[in-house]
Amino acid sequence: MLRGRTRELTQLEAHLTRAAQQGESTALVLRGEAGIGKSALLTETAKTAEAQHFKVLRTTGMEAESELPFAALHLLLHRETDRIAALPAPQAAALRTALGLPGSTSEGGPSDGGRNTDPFLTGLALLTLLAELAETQPLLCVLDDAHWLDQPSAQALLFAARRLAAEGVVLLFAVREPHAPRFPAPGLPELRLTGIDDAAAASLLTEHAGDLPPYVHRHILTESRGNPLALRELPAAQREGHLTTHSGSYTPPPSSHSRVQQTFTDRIAALPEATRTLLLVAAAEGTGDLAATTTAAATLGATVADLEPAERRHLLALEAGKLTFRHPLIRAAAYRSAPLASRVAAHRALAEALPRVGGPSPGTAWTRPSRDRAG
């Protein structure tokens, strides 16, 4: 249950209703600070869509792949590439080239820097493909952490989003603001998320901090400013000794984002070295592939057993055979807190692991580390 988000869920469900009942296509950009609930709203909306027999495509932008052309589009469409053959020939060729598929004019795909792609034809091909996918059932496309989408993927998706009309397609983008790269989306409607109300915040905090004294509750309520992630994570930080509180006066920090991010960094720093290594490899890998992550981590001295401390601290979980970070900020903290040499080693280990595990085609972030960026 998402506390304090009835209005937002109603608005998102209205987009689904318009697609399912009127065949109307819509797009929406959710903006807000880290932990404010964007991903949770997308997840709830996706569950509702699946219950209403939508086809759901979902991907998350990854910092480590943000410089690889069409990496995000490949992740979004990789299970639907057989449908490309139905597109008009010029569009099919453009999309195959963008995705590095057999039969493209340049089979280098994402790794060729996008030099052989036509942005207009690629965007048009994506628009046509989305309409094709929605022919038999309405379609929901969810783009979380859209600020980390590589630029060509973002351009194609925004191109399509502005031209959708009566196909029964819903596109949802979630963007972190501030502390992330800009994601301009002119022409698309936006929903800006703020903190949940006091009553919802107090209820959520009671669920996660019922064992803590009242002055700690007051401290966290003040500091969180209604940020749901802060309300869930700061009690754990208090128990682990990473949050300083006292019963006297308190001046809150500039933002709950900075406090929560530092909390995750501190909690990762307290883990055993092998566990930190495994988290770094998982963050660099990005897709949750267990075989690729553990094979690469093994060359760096970590084993699957080293997941246990991170899982026990609710930083990472194994769900349906995939490694899942509980929040994008945890993945960011695991990646950014590692020295550059360690990040390079993680990417090299992943690149070497690919032939052994049958990973995705070249062009993923595994072949090179991303540049270190602020935000």
Side-chain angles (χ1 to χ4, degrees), residues 2-362:
L2 295 184
R3 291 180 175 82
R5 293 300 187 200
T6 302
R7 179 181 64 85
E8 291 86 353
L9 283 171
T10 299
Q11 184 172 343
L12 289 167
E13 289 170 6
H15 285 263
L16 301 181
T17 299
R18 288 153 63 185
Q21 296 184 5
Q22 286 88 45
E24 183 178 348
S25 295
T26 57
L28 184 68
V29 181
L30 283 71
R31 299 186 185 271
E33 69 175 23
I36 205 66
K38 302 180 297 298
S39 297
L41 283 168
L42 293 182
T43 296
E44 286 299 311
T45 304
K47 289 179 181 177
T48 300
E50 288 172 344
Q52 296 179 4
H53 306 293
F54 275 67
K55 184 179 189 65
V56 178
L57 302 181
R58 183 169 187 173
T59 195
T60 300
M62 293 183 288
E63 181 178 4
E65 296 198 357
S66 60
E67 296 178 5
L68 299 175
F70 297 109
L73 201 60
H74 183 275
L75 283 175
L76 182 70
L77 300 176
H78 72 280
R79 291 189 176 89
E80 308 298 335
T81 54
D82 59 319
R83 305 290 292 273
I84 295 176
L87 305 183
Q91 295 181 28
L95 195 53
R96 286 196 182 101
T97 297
L99 301 181
L101 299 175
S104 64
T105 56
S106 168
E107 295 189 13
S111 62
D112 72 3
R115 291 186 296 272
N116 295 300
T117 61
D118 181 323
F120 178 81
L121 272 179
T122 303
L124 192 61
L126 176 61
L127 176 64
T128 307
L129 179 61
L130 295 179
E132 288 285 334
L133 292 174
E135 274 290 315
T136 57
Q137 63 186 126
L139 173 68
L140 171 66
C141 292
V142 175
L143 295 309
D144 203 356
D145 274 2
H147 48 275
W148 288 125
L149 295 176
D150 60 275
Q151 187 176 10
S153 291
Q155 288 176 337
L157 286 161
L158 291 171
F159 178 98
R162 295 187 191 101
R163 288 162 177 79
L164 289 167
E167 302 84 1
V169 177
V170 179
L171 265 67
L172 300 179
F173 301 84
V175 180
R176 187 196 314 159
E177 290 185 344
H179 311 295
R182 292 183 65 250
F183 184 80
L188 297 188
E190 298 184 348
L191 173 60
R192 293 191 173 271
L193 301 180
T194 57
I196 58 178
D197 62 42
D198 292 346
S203 175
L204 182 58
L205 181 60
T206 297
E207 177 183 338
H208 292 273
D211 59 319
L212 299 178
Y215 76 87
V216 175
H217 279 228
R218 292 192 296 270
H219 171 93
I220 293 175
L221 282 171
T222 300
E223 187 165 342
S224 68
R225 295 176 174 83
N227 183 298
L229 181 65
L231 290 162
R232 291 194 302 269
E233 297 299 334
L234 293 183
Q238 165 69 19
R239 296 185 191 99
E240 295 174 13
H242 299 311
L243 181 67
T244 302
T245 60
H246 54 78
S247 56
S249 61
Y250 170 69
T251 302
S255 73
S256 55
H257 167 276
S258 59
R259 169 63 86 177
V260 174
Q261 176 109 39
Q262 187 58 49
T263 292
F264 287 139
T265 299
D266 292 341
R267 294 172 72 186
I268 289 170
L271 294 170
E273 181 179 356
T275 303
R276 296 199 306 272
T277 296
L278 216 154
L279 285 177
L280 169 60
V281 174
E285 192 279 326
T287 70
D289 189 303
L290 179 62
T293 299
T294 55
T295 300
T299 68
L300 302 175
T303 70
V304 68
D306 294 309
L307 282 173
E308 195 273 335
E311 188 173 26
R312 190 171 63 246
R313 290 169 173 79
H314 305 291
L315 298 172
L316 185 105
L318 182 61
E319 299 175 350
K322 287 188 173 291
L323 291 172
T324 305
F325 286 95
R326 285 191 57 242
H327 192 273
L329 281 183
I330 302 174
R331 185 176 65 202
Y335 190 79
R336 295 184 190 181
S337 62
L340 177 60
S342 297
R343 284 180 294 186
V344 171
H347 283 280
R348 183 177 295 116
L350 283 163
E352 293 171 353
L354 278 173
R356 287 179 277 166
V357 300
S361 60

